[in-house]
Amino acid sequence: MSHREIATSITHSTVISKDGTVIGYKSTGQGPGVIVLHGALSSSDDFTNFAQELADSFTVHVIDRRGRGMSGPQGNEYSIRKECEDLTVVQEATGAAFLFGHSFGGLVALETARMNNLFTKIALYEPGVSIEGSIPTTWLPNYEKALNKNDTYGAFAIFVRALGPVKSIKLIPIWYLKLILRIMLRKDHWKHKERLLPESMNEHKEIGLLDSTFSNYSSIYADTLLIAGGKSPESERNTMRVLDQTMPNTKTIVLPNLSHFAPDNQYSPAVVGQQVKQHFLS
């Protein structure tokens, strides 16, 4: 099989998680197995370019976390524990020993790794670990109210103002930020995110519940690469420093000019992918 065929061939598979939910994942490439976990407001479709960056050296399995794509719904009893169960069944099906997680996917990766020893090497890009409220959740009630009113642009504006990397955005009135978002977001891009707004709410509630529990990760002995973007808020780099001090076998790098969303198709997946590849090959 040629390099081009390896890089473009994608298979679709499903497994059944512990609670009966279907979990889908896409696989590409050839070699040792790598599982990829995307963050909030995204799906496996957003990590195709990142997967292709690894596909010449690894068989890459990009999961659709529950609530999107090929996978079933989050369910009424959603918790991060169920996400960990989903990751575990995919690992059992693929035999993958390497794991990459971005943002909330990185938090799922850490929570899973502390419960078992399934993975020998892990790479994380700015995992969604909150330390003393570094990822705020006070915005969630207003976000939920907006969703209940079907005001999806309003909900997203609340999300962006609370978690946006630029401090000045917090000074923009919600009504004006909604107008800006309507103008800036392309229709297909918006529809993709709009569908995932309820899932993002549930995921951020889990982040809040796990605030400042990072000491649990001292039990993770996998060889772990922690990656932060130079353009991300200082709080992200501080989280990397805390995790580096907490976990016994880590290496931390900061990639200049990259933001929190770097692994996503629209940003810098190749730059992040090269670092992850080197870590898994070393």
Side-chain angles (χ1 to χ4, degrees), residues 17-218:
S17 195
K18 185 176 180 179
D19 69 351
T21 301
V22 173
I23 302 299
Y25 60 96
K26 300 171 184 175
S27 304
T28 188
Q30 183 172 284
V34 175
I35 294 176
V36 173
L37 285 175
H38 59 78
L41 293 178
S42 60
S43 70
S44 64
D45 290 341
D46 297 297
F47 278 71
T48 52
N49 291 344
F50 178 83
Q52 300 295 1
E53 196 62 36
L54 307 180
D56 61 345
S57 302
F58 303 97
T59 303
V60 188
H61 310 286
V62 188
I63 296 178
D64 266 322
R65 291 195 297 101
R66 58 173 57 208
R68 64 266 286 161
M70 297 184 292
S71 296
Q74 286 183 332
N76 294 330
E77 298 180 355
Y78 174 78
S79 70
I80 199 167
R81 177 180 55 80
K82 290 184 179 293
E83 297 264 11
C84 296
E85 292 169 356
D86 301 344
L87 171 56
T88 298
V89 297
V90 174
Q91 192 282 330
E92 290 171 350
T94 62
F98 302 153
L99 175 64
F100 172 81
H102 172 233
S103 195
F104 186 78
L107 181 61
V108 175
L110 286 166
E111 285 295 301
T112 305
R114 77 178 181 87
M115 297 175 189
N116 56 53
N117 295 308
L118 294 174
F119 301 99
T120 58
K121 290 194 175 186
I122 299 171
L124 305 171
Y125 191 94
E126 299 188 357
V129 176
S130 182
I131 300 172
E132 297 182 354
S134 61
I135 301 177
T137 56
T138 54
W139 52 276
L140 281 167
N142 288 334
Y143 180 93
E144 188 166 7
K145 287 178 184 177
L147 286 183
N148 289 338
K149 294 177 181 178
N150 202 32
D151 180 12
T152 52
Y153 276 105
F156 192 54
I158 290 167
F159 173 85
V160 170
R161 194 168 72 165
L163 300 178
V166 181
K167 289 184 178 180
S168 59
I169 203 170
K170 301 182 188 306
L171 303 176
I172 301 175
I174 290 295
W175 69 266
Y176 188 57
L177 189 53
K178 283 170 64 174
L179 178 62
I180 294 172
L181 292 172
R182 284 182 180 274
I183 295 170
M184 290 182 59
L185 292 171
R186 299 192 315 273
K187 186 175 182 180
D188 56 341
H189 184 59
W190 167 241
K191 289 297 182 184
H192 178 53
K193 291 197 177 299
E194 185 181 35
R195 286 192 296 269
L196 296 173
L197 292 175
E199 284 75 15
S200 179
M201 176 182 68
N202 294 331
E203 291 159 8
H204 280 84
K205 287 180 179 179
E206 293 298 302
I207 290 174
L209 290 172
L210 289 170
D211 181 70
S212 298
T213 60
F214 60 87
S215 61
N216 291 335
Y217 306 139
S218 62

